[in-house]
Amino acid sequence: MASTDRTTIISAPGKVLLTGGYLVLDPAFSGLVVATDARFYTLIRPGRHSATTEPYKVVVRSPQFDNATWTYWITLQGTTINFSPNKEDDSRNTFVELALNYSFAMLVRLVPAETLIKTMESGLEIVIAGNNDFYSQRKELETRGLSLNTESLRQIPLFASTHTTLSKVHKTGLGSSAALITSLVAAIFIHFDASKLQQDDTTNTQFLHNVAQFVHCLAQGKVGSGFDVSSAVWGSHTYRRFSPEVLQSVMHQDAIQDIPALLKIVTPKETAWDNVVVPFKLAPRLHLMLADIDAGSHTPTLVSNVVELLKELDQVAKNHPEAYDRSIQKASAVVASEWSGLVNQTITNEDVTFELLVKIYNEFLTVRRYLREMSKLSEVPVEPEEQTRLLDACMTVPGVLMAGVPGAGGYDAIFCIVLSDESRKGVEGVWSGFQEMSVGPLLCQESVEGGLVVELGHGHGDDRPLSKHTPTVQRLLQL
């Protein structure tokens, strides 16, 4: 039985879709999604008021935003619930509301009633907070009189105020809604021990993934590709989407009236969940850089080539680490367009690394060329002209392997893959000096933790000394 004095904290990462763009909408093709170390957190603990009878009060706070407290009332009615938002709240949050409503509707059919009652008798307090990189920090930097650079960003406290409401915040394109939904859904089921009802850890995670995909699609009003939720659950990987038909029958608000049918759809045993996830990580010494932008043949073969070449590079690093390190060291001091001249006539392990770097560089240039052609033909700014000039400037910095627009493109963000700290500094210099648009660096990098992480749970409560928790957990417990 879940203990009423326990606190649960679950985190899920943000993401960057490096290759795949619009192709991930088609189950025939794959995309490469990289999880970031910018994470979204959900904390659940007993309510801060004396024990009550039904209805149970659930208060959700998002302290980074103005007017971001939402109250809900839950009444248990056998194997159903009555879920009511507080009519006096200043705003509504559709994503949070749907996640809570459907999660609790499923819980009453998965968890004994006495467990639910004991865990909820004093109500629940839920705190949701995202790493600063999920939102533009320009206003906070301005408030502190700081310049727009990484050194200044490191001075901003964790979970800083955005100085605005949720509806008006400038997001950086890391997938905040997917990371929020995933961490919230997982936290609810884990807090009530419902995730332990599956056979093993893999099916537990698959169940949470399926529920999060359903809630996220319902909140968005369509069955999207699902790569952002997939990354929030599994971390970095090559992704092939699930068949959209699996959720079509429940893409309406009346789905709440037939929870048994919904549970049959989200169960890991449902074979229509045919998504393919193949773990991936960047090869050693390749570093992901990200920036948000304030702007006032992209073909299946090319995308697949980039993914496979990056995997080959990681394998070379494992098989010949010393030669690989020497190659990366040399390449980091030279502009990518000149790397081909570093390959000797006699093929060595070092030359294999250089050849792969050159192939990745050339293949991704071709991907970008097709993105620009798509922009022209569709009259949609997939890689806008201003972005092209910015990305081209980044590629003139020694040691930059790739520079592009993530996901579906547009003005929101750019990414770079660099080979050294000097390359990183050079790119930051390009960003800070670029005049056509304001380029704001982000601090996040590729995640080493992967997808969902139980930061606090399984019986641990608030009575533990703050010093025993990580700085992030300490900060969350104080919100």
Side-chain angles (χ1 to χ4, degrees), residues 54-190:
E54 295 184 285
Y56 302 112
K57 185 179 183 181
V58 178
V59 178
V60 180
R61 294 190 296 114
S62 186
Q64 292 165 284
F65 299 100
D66 299 338
N67 302 321
T69 297
W70 305 281
T71 301
Y72 307 93
W73 301 95
I74 296 177
T75 302
L76 306 179
Q77 299 173 331
T79 57
T80 64
I81 66 164
N82 183 8
F83 179 87
S84 303
N86 188 17
K87 297 180 180 179
E88 296 179 0
D89 287 347
D90 293 332
S91 64
R92 299 280 291 271
N93 187 321
T94 301
F95 286 85
V96 168
E97 200 166 302
L98 288 174
L100 290 176
N101 195 1
Y102 279 90
S103 293
F104 280 104
M106 288 186 237
L107 274 177
V108 296
R109 291 181 177 270
L110 297 174
V111 176
E114 61 177 10
T115 299
L116 288 171
I117 293 170
K118 186 66 175 176
T119 307
M120 296 183 65
E121 63 184 359
S122 60
L124 293 176
E125 180 186 20
I126 300 177
V127 179
I128 51 179
N131 183 281
N132 290 341
D133 275 347
F134 280 104
Y135 311 110
S136 173
Q137 298 300 316
R138 286 176 169 81
K139 183 63 176 179
E140 179 69 13
L141 291 172
E142 180 182 324
T143 300
R144 293 170 175 266
L146 297 173
S147 302
L148 184 61
N149 55 48
T150 54
E151 182 179 350
S152 298
L153 289 171
R154 291 190 178 95
Q155 299 180 46
I156 299 178
L158 189 60
F159 308 129
S161 171
T162 61
H163 303 280
T164 188
T165 60
L166 181 58
S167 62
K168 295 180 180 179
V169 70
H170 176 83
K171 298 182 180 181
T172 60
L174 293 181
S176 58
S177 63
L180 159 64
I181 288 292
T182 303
S183 68
L184 178 55
V185 165
I188 292 170
F189 281 93
I190 290 173

Side-chain angles (χ1 to χ4, degrees), residues 247-264:
L247 290 177
Q248 291 292 1
S249 65
V250 289
M251 280 294 100
H252 53 81
Q253 297 298 330
D254 290 340
I256 196 71
Q257 304 299 327
D258 194 356
I259 294 301
L262 179 58
L263 283 169
K264 289 180 181 179

Side-chain angles (χ1 to χ4, degrees), residues 285-336:
R285 301 184 64 165
L286 269 62
H287 307 288
L288 175 68
M289 295 181 67
L290 294 163
D292 83 283
I293 306 298
D294 186 2
S297 99
H298 182 53
T299 66
T301 301
L302 286 168
V303 169
S304 176
N305 285 349
V306 173
V307 173
E308 292 305 315
L309 288 168
L310 285 167
K311 290 181 178 178
E312 283 186 46
L313 191 64
D314 185 47
Q315 193 60 49
V316 169
K318 293 175 181 176
N319 295 341
H320 310 287
E322 293 182 0
Y324 175 84
D325 281 347
R326 289 194 297 270
S327 300
I328 296 297
Q329 187 66 36
K330 292 178 183 178
S332 67
V334 180
V335 176

Side-chain angles (χ1 to χ4, degrees), residues 246 259-271 273:
V246 69
I259 294 301
L262 179 58
L263 283 169
K264 289 180 181 179
I265 288 174
V266 298
T267 176
K269 297 178 182 179
E270 172 54 65
T271 56
W273 289 100

Side-chain angles (χ1 to χ4, degrees), residues 435-457:
Q435 298 298 313
E436 296 185 55
M437 298 177 292
S438 175
V439 185
L442 304 182
L443 296 179
C444 59
Q445 306 174 62
E446 183 189 14
S447 172
V448 296
E449 293 182 281
L452 279 172
V453 172
V454 179
E455 307 282 354
L456 180 63

Side-chain angles (χ1 to χ4, degrees), residues 157-445:
L158 189 60
F159 308 129
S161 171
T162 61
H163 303 280
T164 188
T165 60
L166 181 58
S167 62
K168 295 180 180 179
V169 70
H170 176 83
K171 298 182 180 181
T172 60
L174 293 181
S176 58
S177 63
L180 159 64
I181 288 292
T182 303
S183 68
L184 178 55
V185 165
I188 292 170
F189 281 93
I190 290 173
H191 190 74
F192 286 87
D193 290 331
S195 65
K196 296 179 181 178
L197 300 178
Q198 306 299 325
Q199 295 177 345
D200 51 48
D201 289 344
T202 300
T203 50
N204 285 340
T205 307
Q206 184 67 51
F207 171 74
L208 295 174
H209 164 271
N210 296 354
V211 175
Q213 288 284 16
F214 160 70
V215 172
H216 192 244
C217 289
L218 189 63
Q220 291 189 318
K222 62 181 179 179
V223 182
S225 70
F227 80 88
D228 41 10
V229 169
S230 185
S231 180
V233 173
W234 305 108
S236 299
H237 59 274
T238 55
Y239 173 74
R240 188 173 300 227
R241 69 160 304 156
F242 55 87
S243 301
E245 291 77 16
V246 69
L247 290 177
Q248 291 292 1
S249 65
V250 289
M251 280 294 100
H252 53 81
Q253 297 298 330
D254 290 340
I256 196 71
Q257 304 299 327
D258 194 356
I259 294 301
L262 179 58
L263 283 169
K264 289 180 181 179
I265 288 174
V266 298
T267 176
K269 297 178 182 179
E270 172 54 65
T271 56
W273 289 100
D274 53 358
N275 45 304
V276 179
V277 173
V278 180
F280 169 87
K281 67 182 181 66
L282 288 175
R285 301 184 64 165
L286 269 62
H287 307 288
L288 175 68
M289 295 181 67
L290 294 163
D292 83 283
I293 306 298
D294 186 2
S297 99
H298 182 53
T299 66
T301 301
L302 286 168
V303 169
S304 176
N305 285 349
V306 173
V307 173
E308 292 305 315
L309 288 168
L310 285 167
K311 290 181 178 178
E312 283 186 46
L313 191 64
D314 185 47
Q315 193 60 49
V316 169
K318 293 175 181 176
N319 295 341
H320 310 287
E322 293 182 0
Y324 175 84
D325 281 347
R326 289 194 297 270
S327 300
I328 296 297
Q329 187 66 36
K330 292 178 183 178
S332 67
V334 180
V335 176
S337 59
E338 300 176 4
W339 284 346
S340 58
L342 299 176
V343 182
N344 297 319
Q345 296 297 322
T346 304
I347 300 299
T348 67
N349 291 331
E350 289 187 35
D351 294 318
V352 171
T353 300
F354 277 122
E355 285 189 335
L356 285 171
L357 290 174
V358 171
K359 288 180 179 178
I360 294 169
Y361 163 71
N362 286 328
E363 291 284 353
F364 198 72
L365 284 184
T366 306
V367 169
R368 282 188 55 205
R369 186 165 68 248
Y370 278 101
L371 282 175
R372 292 193 294 275
E373 183 68 13
M374 184 187 295
S375 295
K376 180 180 178 181
L377 294 175
S378 66
E379 297 184 350
V380 174
V382 182
E383 184 183 300
E385 293 182 0
E386 302 97 316
Q387 299 279 61
T388 296
R389 290 188 285 272
L390 172 59
L391 297 173
D392 288 347
C394 292
M395 291 304 304
T396 65
V397 175
V400 177
L401 174 62
M402 298 162 59
V405 290
Y411 288 96
D412 289 342
I414 64 168
F415 73 87
C416 295
I417 304 292
V418 301
L419 306 184
S420 69
D421 286 338
E422 287 303 312
S423 304
R424 183 190 299 276
K425 292 175 183 177
V427 169
E428 289 180 359
V430 170
W431 291 351
S432 64
F434 197 72
Q435 298 298 313
E436 296 185 55
M437 298 177 292
S438 175
V439 185
L442 304 182
L443 296 179
C444 59
Q445 306 174 62

